Amino acid sequence: MSSFHINLATLSPGSSRLVVEGPAADLGLSDGEWPEPIRSDWSVDRSGEQVTARGEIHATARLDCVRCLKSFDLALEVPVVVHADRAGRGRHPEQEGDLERDDYMRFHDGRQVELGEDVREALLLEVPMAPSCRVDCRGLCPRCGAELNEGPCGCATESRA
C-alpha cells in the first residue's frame, strides 16, 4: 500500500493540514531517478463523504542534461488538487468510472483516499522533456565530444588553420 493516502478515520470534518512523505517506490518510480523522499503538504477540506485535497509536492528528480549529458538534480514543487467522494452514492458504476477516467473526481471506500496516482502523474508531467543542467549549458563539441562548459576545445583553432 502506498504511503500517499488520507486516512479518513483520523480526519475531522472541516479543514485540516497534512504532511505525507514516502519513497519514490511507493509511487512506482525509480529510486535512482528520484533520490530523495517525496514530500507533500496538503490542505484537506472534508464535508460529509466529500473530500477536497489541495497539495504541493516537493521532490527531486535526477536527470541527464540533453546538452552535456551530465546528471543533475532538479528540485520540483508541483501543485495538485484531488476531489473525492464516497463510491456508490446514487451513481451507477459506469458513471463513477467515467468521472475517474476524466480526472474530475476520485472515489474512496469510506476509509481512505488514495493520492498516489495523482501525485505520480503530477510529478511526471512536471519533468521537462529536454532537461538542461543550467540555462547557459554549452554542451559537447559535435566534432570531438569535448565538454564546452569546461572551456573551448581544440577543434575551433584547428579548423581555421
Side-chain angles (χ1 to χ4, degrees):
M1 176 185 355
S2 167
S3 57
F4 292 90
H5 66 273
I6 298 171
N7 184 350
L8 296 175
T10 62
L11 189 66
S12 60
S15 296
S16 301
R17 305 269 318 151
L18 296 173
V19 175
V20 180
E21 187 172 315
D26 281 1
L27 300 173
L29 300 171
S30 164
D31 287 333
E33 294 172 353
W34 301 88
E36 298 177 11
I38 296 170
R39 181 174 179 255
S40 55
D41 300 312
W42 298 91
S43 172
V44 182
D45 295 316
R46 181 176 184 183
S47 177
E49 298 290 345
Q50 295 180 341
V51 177
T52 299
R54 289 175 178 80
E56 185 165 89
I57 307 159
H58 305 274
T60 300
R62 181 155 295 147
L63 305 169
D64 292 328
C65 178
V66 296
R67 295 178 185 165
C68 68
L69 306 180
K70 286 190 175 182
S71 290
F72 70 100
D73 289 346
L74 177 65
L76 299 172
E77 291 185 9
V78 185
V80 65
V81 177
V82 178
H83 301 285
D85 198 357
R86 177 99 186 231
R89 288 189 31 181
R91 287 176 294 277
H92 295 325
E94 305 88 40
Q95 290 174 317
E96 289 180 4
D98 289 343
L99 288 170
E100 275 196 338
R101 194 170 26 264
D102 292 340
D103 290 333
Y104 176 72
M105 183 171 290
R106 298 282 175 237
F107 291 93
H108 62 83
D109 58 5
R111 295 180 298 213
Q112 66 183 15
V113 176
E114 283 296 328
L115 303 171
E117 189 59 35
D118 295 288
V119 171
R120 180 181 193 278
E121 183 177 306
L123 285 173
L124 291 176
L125 288 173
E126 194 69 19
V127 174
M129 290 180 67
S132 295
C133 60
R134 60 185 204 225
V135 176
D136 63 340
C137 178
R138 297 184 62 208
L140 303 175
C141 173
R143 182 179 247 174
C144 69
E147 186 180 338
L148 299 175
N149 292 323
E150 295 174 359
C153 64
C155 293
T157 56
E158 289 175 13
S159 62
R160 291 184 202 152

